[in-house]
Amino acid sequence: MSHSNEGKEATKLTSFVSSNFIRDIMLEDIKNNKNGGKIHTRFPPEPNGYLHIGHLMALVADFGLAEEFGGLCNLRFDDTNPEAEEQEYVDKIIEDIHWMGYDYEDRLYFASDYFQQLYEFAEQLILDGKAFVCDLTFDEMREYRGTLTEPGKESPYRNRSKEESLDLFRRMRLGEFPEGTHTLRAIIDMKSGNLNMRDPVIYRIKYAPHHRTGTDWPIYPMYDYQHPLSDAIEGITHSMCSLEYADHNELYQWFINNVKWQKHPDDPIPIQYEWSRLNVTGTVMSKRRLRRLVEEGYVDSWDDPRMPTMCGLRRRGYTPASLKDFIGRVGISRSPKIVDAALLEHCIREELNSTAHRTMAVLRPLKITLTNYPEGQTEYLEIENNPEDPCAGDRSVPFSRELYIEQEDFMENPPRKFFRLRPGGEIRLKGAYIIRCDEVVKDEEGNVVELLCSYDPETKSGSPQAGRRVRGTSHWVSAQHAATATVKLYDHLFTKDNPEDAEEGKDFTDYVNPESLEVLENCKIEPRLAEAQPGERFQFLRQGYFYVDHVDFAEGKLVFNRTVGLRDTWARMNR
RNA sequence: UGGGGAAUCGUCUAAUGGUAGGACAACAGACUCUGGAUCUGUAUGUGAGGGUUCAAAUCCUUCUUCCCCAACCA
């Protein structure tokens, strides 16, 4: 991927800024030389959907903390449910991880890589009297499990002989039984207050073909069994996950303690740590809801720039560095969090303010003619690319008699504090001259179609006499030299901070912002922008940061997606 | 008395018995050839009640509120 350099660069620049309890634990472990002072994490997505902003915490923490302590992070797909998982998602997830600049080197693993090993562990568990084959039906098992407040009952098959269980388990593996007729269950405690400990199922029969192992296996291990053992096999030291798995930690430890997985006495014993999930205002995260947005046409695709998916964020123009910065600022904790999307926007604005080149694009053009400027003349003005970065240099921008300015930079009857152009008033054209509006040209319906202006040759930017001041400055493009482009103005997808908190009779789709996308087809852009390459980011002066859509570009279209607008105190004053 | 987790400015997050601090958001002002950026300033917080202590966000205690768990999903 051409984007991987972007991510790697970002990795060097950014690390966590805030402290967090996981880091404290790692620091302590390193100090005590636990596991030889090594940190080894893993990022364990299930390939059943696209990575989205809710996964960002785990992604950045798993890879970022390992990186910070000179450790390693494996990429391991949790692919033990063939009904849900697809190769397509594996590929998309890998693409997103590469884009973020994270490197798992040759450590790309799949839980399915361990199916044979896990199977052997399971046989041993049976031999040790710690697991049995259960013939209870799905409904019976639910009944035997008890409830949150009542203890469960032991399965009548719990005490059958090891030999019988082993025989049955082997025949399960041979594919002799239909789905749903048998399970392998751990023998733990049906009375436990923790439902996960009530003789949990560790293998079930499934004949669905697996995206990697095909039809090799008629039985599949459950997450709770597979995950700790996969961690153990890989030598993971710190196994991090979100808080809804806290109840599973006891089971995690049970498998670590009861399966003979250790090859050497100093193989690290993995420990699970949990943190609270990341939520962001104005988004939905669940796969089901995201799918509805796509399928019901609220957005165009999974990578629509309004989607909170990683691929959507990328098309919106977010950078890996800004995303890492965001996670660093949010921090890792165990308290529930719904982070203000404004923080995410701040992170990308801050980065782009220092890196994005300034350009001029007139989104809604209003023609002006400088009546005292020589016809046919073009002068090239040197304008700085980025006032925040002197090294960014200057570029030449053509200036001529006929120009476009923004429609909203002119008002015939302006209110107080409107510092832009009005009849008889003056503004500076950025990097050029001060102009005065002499005459307003209207069509038959009274719409303003053109302004006749005059320029003051004494006020050329950079010249000694340029000192005269006017309050307003506008961006502009030369009509003759401008190219036309499509600009997509994106805004928040929802009108509500928490779209899921719907009123009676409504659901989250009722809060989709009808103005979340405005497509402008007739934007006039300066010559530099006509040469823009996919993946480039610019500031459109006074308007915002824009990303050259790499997807549209591949289809032959030059489209600028608004990543985020500039802070706009004028707009705020008018709210 | 099911089990587990969490409560600090509007939002995140620090302070591990010793001045409740930072970031984002908000507001006000300065500056500005981007109404951007930058700078300065302002307001807002320890869920509640008891207790220990010279001193409590922090320790003890009672209570309240919120989140997660009853897939042969992860």
Side-chain angles (χ1 to χ4, degrees), chain A residues 519-540:
Chain A
V519 182
L520 268 19
E521 303 280 6
N522 188 34
C523 304
K524 300 296 181 184
I525 58 175
E526 65 166 84
R528 168 66 184 93
L529 286 173
E531 302 162 4
Q533 294 302 303
E536 275 196 284
R537 297 180 179 85
F538 298 94
Q539 185 192 102
F540 289 180

Side-chain angles (χ1 to χ4, degrees), chain A residues 48-92:
Chain A
N48 72 341
Y50 292 79
L51 249 32
H52 57 68
I53 196 166
H55 297 109
L56 208 54
M57 177 75 73
L59 180 60
V60 175
D62 286 335
F63 278 98
L65 285 170
E67 201 166 69
E68 181 178 334
F69 292 113
L72 301 172
C73 179
N74 297 355
L75 172 58
R76 180 176 71 234
F77 286 93
D78 264 1
D79 58 347
T80 52
N81 180 9
E83 286 166 350
E85 296 148 8
E86 292 170 29
Q87 184 62 39
E88 184 203 338
Y89 293 125
V90 171
D91 300 338
K92 298 285 189 196

Side-chain angles (χ1 to χ4, degrees), chain A residues 234-252:
Chain A
E234 292 180 15
I236 301 305
T237 56
H238 300 256
S239 182
M240 299 174 272
C241 60
S242 55
L243 223 33
E244 70 253 39
Y245 291 96
D247 285 343
H248 298 245
N249 202 339
E250 195 181 356
L251 224 204
Y252 184 101

Side-chain angles (χ1 to χ4, degrees), chain A residues 320-512:
Chain A
S322 65
L323 264 16
K324 291 171 185 176
D325 184 29
F326 174 64
I327 296 300
R329 288 168 187 261
V330 168
I332 295 176
S333 71
R334 290 170 72 89
S335 43
K337 48 172 132 271
I338 306 174
V339 178
D340 194 335
L343 183 60
L344 220 205
E345 294 180 348
H346 169 80
C347 290
I348 189 63
R349 273 199 197 97
E350 185 177 78
E351 179 185 348
L352 264 17
N353 178 49
S354 62
T355 60
H357 283 196
R358 274 57 172 170
T359 54
M360 293 193 287
V362 175
L363 270 27
R364 298 171 183 87
L366 170 61
K367 189 180 176 188
I368 65 176
T369 299
L370 302 179
T371 51
N372 61 340
Y373 194 89
E375 256 177 273
Q377 177 175 314
T378 297
E379 60 185 309
Y380 286 86
L381 304 167
E382 297 298 306
I383 302 183
E384 61 197 351
N385 283 321
N386 186 348
E388 304 290 319
D389 176 13
C391 301
D394 297 335
R395 70 189 185 290
S396 288
V397 185
F399 183 87
S400 64
R401 190 169 198 266
E402 294 183 347
L403 309 166
Y404 292 111
I405 63 167
E406 209 68 57
Q407 286 172 17
E408 63 180 30
D409 282 347
F410 171 79
M411 277 186 99
E412 203 170 7
N413 300 298
R416 281 163 48 91
K417 297 199 176 178
F418 181 85
F419 304 144
R420 307 175 189 178
L421 201 56
R422 65 181 73 196
E426 286 187 324
I427 49 162
R428 170 168 293 279
L429 296 179
K430 173 68 183 179
Y433 301 91
I434 291 172
I435 62 166
R436 188 179 60 240
C437 175
D438 301 316
E439 199 180 330
V440 180
V441 182
K442 296 183 184 177
D443 64 14
E444 287 163 6
E445 281 134 34
N447 301 309
V448 177
V449 292
E450 186 183 351
L451 303 177
L452 301 181
C453 302
S454 50
Y455 84 113
D456 179 351
E458 300 297 306
T459 58
K460 183 172 176 176
S461 287
S463 72
Q465 298 87 355
R468 183 155 76 84
R469 281 190 172 169
V470 290
R471 189 66 197 261
T473 301
S474 285
H475 56 279
W476 52 273
V477 294
S478 165
Q480 177 197 341
H481 304 88
T484 300
T486 299
V487 173
K488 293 184 177 175
L489 300 180
Y490 289 102
D491 202 346
H492 297 154
L493 219 207
F494 293 99
T495 53
K496 207 168 189 289
D497 274 358
N498 180 6
E500 317 226 2
D501 176 27
E503 293 163 47
E504 190 71 24
K506 293 190 171 185
D507 75 359
F508 72 101
T509 59
D510 289 303
Y511 304 105
V512 169

Side-chain angles (χ1 to χ4, degrees), chain A residues 202-215:
Chain A
I202 60 185
Y203 268 93
R204 78 284 211 191
I205 299 169
K206 252 186 214 301
Y207 290 100
H210 186 279
H211 68 105
R212 289 183 69 78
T213 61
T215 53

